[in-house]
Amino acid sequence: MSKGLPKRSEDYSLWYNELVKKADLAENSAVRGCMVIKPYGFAIWEKMQAELDKMFKDTGHSNAYFPLLIPKSYLSKEADHVEGFAKECAVVTHYRLKNAEDGSGVVVDPAAKLEEELIVRPTSETVIWSTYKNWIQSYRDLPILVNQWANVMRWEMRTRLFLRTSEFLWQEGHTAHATKREAIAEAEQMHEVYARFAEDFMAVPVVKGVKSESERFAGALETYTIEALMQDGKALQAGTSHFLGQNFAKAFDVKFQSKEGQLEHVWGTSWGVSTRLMGALIMAHSDDEGLVLPPKLAPIQVVIVPIYRKEEELEAIADKVKEIRAALLKKGISVKFDDRDTFKPGFKFAEWELKGVPVRLAMGPRDLANGTVEVARRDTKEKQTYELAGIEDTVENLLNEIQENIFQKALSFRDERITEVSSYDEFKQVLEEKGGFVACYFDGTKETEDKIQDETKASSRCFPVDWKDSEEGPCIITGKPGKKFLFAKAY
Amino acid sequence: MSKGLPKRSEDYSLWYNELVKKADLAENSAVRGCMVIKPYGFAIWEKMQAELDKMFKDTGHSNAYFPLLIPKSYLSKEADHVEGFAKECAVVTHYRLKNAEDGSGVVVDPAAKLEEELIVRPTSETVIWSTYKNWIQSYRDLPILVNQWANVMRWEMRTRLFLRTSEFLWQEGHTAHATKREAIAEAEQMHEVYARFAEDFMAVPVVKGVKSESERFAGALETYTIEALMQDGKALQAGTSHFLGQNFAKAFDVKFQSKEGQLEHVWGTSWGVSTRLMGALIMAHSDDEGLVLPPKLAPIQVVIVPIYRKEEELEAIADKVKEIRAALLKKGISVKFDDRDTFKPGFKFAEWELKGVPVRLAMGPRDLANGTVEVARRDTKEKQTYELAGIEDTVENLLNEIQENIFQKALSFRDERITEVSSYDEFKQVLEEKGGFVACYFDGTKETEDKIQDETKASSRCFPVDWKDSEEGPCIITGKPGKKFLFAKAY
């Protein structure tokens, strides 16, 4: 097949858009900013969901489901929250259509106007905390450790498939605790879970950090973030976990009786990752030939392509493939046998490369005779012929090696692009010439952030939690006391 | 614990509502008609989802995701479809709020009015077929076998938890085929999948049938249904599968080039089950003490309650429970050890009864000394003392027995309540005195259905597919030629 993918080096942005479409991951829909996630893309998301869901349950969380629509007045109850979300939300005002009098179709029925408008949830803190009010009376009711998998809407003006869409899929954890200490521990635990997921499953190295005050979630006292680096040197916020303090408990009057008999406000957290992770996954590893998927998240881990001229040859190969397949499936490895007779091997090779299948086996009559098979790995494009005997172990080891290799490759790339600078001139130079993360002392103010953003298009990403608090020095812009922060151009 | 559940015999409807709330399954939210599905209820739904999803994938389907919002004009493209859904839909008219000038919160920003209103999907045929138009050119692109798990909204005026809510969760399969024969085979296959799921997992016997013309899905040529019977003698439609003919292909101009080179309209199906199944599950089996869950869908299959006075006794019991638990988990049986020290055993027994845990083990110091354990089953409330040795086999067998027993019980109940009648008087008498399904010849017209509905509150349920087509005779109302149909009062 002809891939017709632009090169990353020529137009990274176009390369990404085309790759998402050509690899059958997603496409734009007729509704502005809303995407269709196609079966192959959704299969990757399902694998992500399954792993994350397991990690959430292993840390004591249960799933639940809360309403899609939120009364307008709820949004206003937490001042920062409404400020953060009111300007980009879909508003339901009516609950009925009727036939147009001129017969031109259906129109909104003015008689069916809602007394109070409803907002399609941009996030669910408000509707969830209004529910928690009824669930929590005493310290015995705490903690509440709940997650929901849901769709949310934020009316984005400029959208890009997976990275920024008006509707997206995500999970949002919402927990309630008796003490500040416990709530902070929860927010930090989920921060760690996200980092582990990104690195161990997506093979995407991340910086774990905390956001500056102005970059916090609307309504949070602290926002923990994981920041990944894409191949064009731009950062991508891949997941956030928020310590909400007592903000939503106060807004929705959620109190509990403590062991000591005092009535106190509950402490909260929320945390989420979304289909944006798909964008991170694609941009972190893929190349000019197409997707490169980490084996742990690849819907198809191994594809087997028969090389034959005559029907009998195909039959003989198919018999052998049956055995190989069974041996691989027994190890939990997913396999597709591409025996379509409408396409040539070269076309198939290109298609599975485009779709990022980690390992490809090719087998012809000569292989059959010799008891061998040609094994190609997607990440390095190396090909090698192996003995058929024990091929399941060979493939299993190779999948592990690929998972590790693409992580290490992304890690080297990222580590080479964290640059410490000590002046604003140096900051600008590094940003222009090298990209990636620029580390510098920063006074933490919105004024400084805005100045840097306006002049360089870089935004403050985070203060890495693994750095010592002692990393303090004069802000490169204002000279005021600052902490060492990471800045980058970002998605 | 005091359950405070009404008796089914006194007020079945109130019993249901209270049970849903007290067993922590779901509750009403602040948004009219929208429910909160609580963690325990959601855990049951997750088990249903997992089994159904596996059945869908085993029959060749993949999951995908389509937009929540549908342009108003799409609804109108299929005439019956808009007629069926326009009168009960949530309409998004604006995409922004702004601060009220009087400082009283946020108001809809009139400057952010959408050019075309968007409908929160009541079902996704229109948005999906508008997408399929781009996916389908040739017979090689067919069939498309796609499912999505999603939330949908239908603005219901009278709502009941799980049974009828404005927002509900469901899956909707949407398939596209080259021939009428294939599409009908697909609709029938999914009909069969639903029936198998209901009977094998939910332990709810169902009648497989086809709907009368007026009860078909809006836009379908044939609607296949599974109909269950609740303990109050009312029927519940538990799942439907639709043969759509070429209706949506024509509405959205979806054509393909056949093998023979002809341009033809595509044939379609759609099929769905929803959180309504939760209502069916609850009402089919539960009793005055609470939920009765089939072991295959119970989030907790076995609860172990320690009986002790002194802390040392609890420790000794806990040591033994560790072994039992490990042995049960090894068999894939989920276990909860309820060692809360804030509640007495009697309270715990009542709580787990209310929550429908199929098997309860109770263990005290004497059991420990004797190497025995008391085993209580939820369905029959029988208790028996068993040897601890091999308890995992005992429990495994018991779970299978319970699954089978509650199915057989529901089946007998249902079979006793299918009554054949040969006159309208008899019809009315059976409906009043006995309830359940009433079988009679029916001419299939809306006029007859309406008359019966108005006079008896019974509706036509289905023509059972297992009955011979030869079961024909004069309609009990009009005397015109009819088929033997099932009628019932229904949810």
Side-chain angles (χ1 to χ4, degrees), chain A residues 27 30-31 37 46 57 63 65 68-69 72 74 86 89 91-97 106 135 151 167, chain B residues 27 30-31 37 46 57 63 65 68-69 72 74 86 89 91-97 106 135 151 167:
Chain A
E27 64 186 35
V31 182
I37 307 180
E46 276 182 311
K57 285 178 176 154
N63 289 326
Y65 188 76
L68 169 71
L69 300 180
K72 192 191 65 179
Y74 278 32
C89 58
V91 189
V92 174
T93 56
H94 293 74
Y95 57 85
R96 192 165 61 220
L97 300 173
V106 281
W135 292 6
N151 52 344
E167 181 188 15
Chain B
E27 64 186 37
V31 183
I37 307 180
E46 276 183 312
K57 285 178 176 154
N63 289 326
Y65 188 76
L68 169 72
L69 300 180
K72 191 190 66 180
Y74 278 31
C89 59
V91 189
V92 174
T93 56
H94 292 75
Y95 58 85
R96 191 164 63 221
L97 300 173
V106 282
W135 292 6
N151 52 343
E167 182 189 14

Side-chain angles (χ1 to χ4, degrees), chain B residues 149-191:
Chain B
W149 291 95
N151 52 343
V152 287
M153 286 212 89
R154 298 177 188 177
W155 206 268
E156 300 283 355
M157 280 302 144
R158 287 192 305 175
T159 62
R160 291 191 68 188
L161 291 166
F162 291 124
L163 296 172
R164 193 174 293 277
T165 48
S166 294
E167 182 189 14
F168 56 89
L169 303 184
W170 79 344
Q171 60 67 219
E172 44 181 329
H174 295 272
T175 70
H177 306 265
T179 66
K180 177 177 179 179
R181 194 183 50 74
E182 276 179 55
I184 290 177
E186 165 77 10
E188 289 181 348
Q189 170 183 251
M190 300 323 289
H191 189 210

Side-chain angles (χ1 to χ4, degrees), chain B residues 165-355:
Chain B
T165 48
S166 294
E167 182 189 14
F168 56 89
L169 303 184
W170 79 344
Q171 60 67 219
E172 44 181 329
H174 295 272
T175 70
H177 306 265
T179 66
K180 177 177 179 179
R181 194 183 50 74
E182 276 179 55
I184 290 177
E186 165 77 10
E188 289 181 348
Q189 170 183 251
M190 300 323 289
H191 189 210
E192 178 61 32
V193 162
Y194 287 157
R196 242 172 42 224
F197 173 75
E199 301 201 334
D200 294 354
F201 290 91
M202 296 173 63
V204 173
V206 291
V207 176
K208 285 171 59 189
V210 295
K211 286 284 181 190
S212 68
E213 194 177 335
S214 72
E215 292 286 324
R216 277 179 202 146
F217 175 75
L221 296 191
E222 188 84 278
T223 286
Y224 302 85
T225 178
I226 56 171
E227 300 277 331
L229 195 67
M230 303 296 101
Q231 292 178 69
D232 59 350
K234 284 166 84 173
L236 186 145
Q237 175 182 307
T240 48
S241 176
H242 315 292
F243 167 57
L244 303 173
Q246 297 172 308
N247 283 351
F248 287 91
K250 285 178 180 164
F252 289 89
D253 190 30
V254 186
K255 291 179 184 161
F256 73 103
Q257 191 160 38
S258 71
K259 264 186 194 163
E260 295 73 33
Q262 303 291 324
L263 215 54
E264 295 173 16
H265 279 113
V266 173
W267 298 84
T269 83
S270 64
W271 31 274
V273 294
S274 73
T275 36
R276 190 165 215 236
L277 288 180
M278 292 286 295
L281 185 75
I282 297 160
M283 287 206 298
H285 306 304
S286 302
D287 64 23
D288 294 348
E289 307 303 316
L291 283 180
V292 173
L293 292 175
K296 287 187 186 175
L297 296 177
I300 303 169
Q301 294 173 305
V302 177
V303 64
I304 308 180
V305 178
I307 317 287
Y308 64 98
R309 286 172 193 276
K310 301 177 213 144
E311 193 61 29
E312 313 90 76
E313 289 173 352
L314 175 60
E315 280 169 25
I317 294 167
D319 281 346
K320 183 53 76 179
V321 165
K322 223 172 175 174
E323 291 171 28
I324 300 173
R325 214 174 159 202
L328 289 169
L329 288 177
K330 210 169 155 189
K331 284 185 172 284
I333 297 169
S334 57
V335 187
K336 183 175 179 72
F337 178 41
D338 185 358
D339 62 351
R340 290 176 294 175
D341 60 5
T342 38
F343 299 104
K344 299 241 181 276
F347 179 96
K348 295 178 183 175
F349 287 6
E351 179 172 344
W352 299 117
E353 249 173 35
L354 177 61
K355 292 201 160 176

Side-chain angles (χ1 to χ4, degrees), chain A residues 81-102:
Chain A
H81 195 72
V82 67
E83 189 63 29
F85 292 105
K87 294 195 185 80
E88 47 174 35
C89 58
V91 189
V92 174
T93 56
H94 293 74
Y95 57 85
R96 192 165 61 220
L97 300 173
K98 62 169 191 174
N99 292 322
E101 281 171 20
D102 62 3

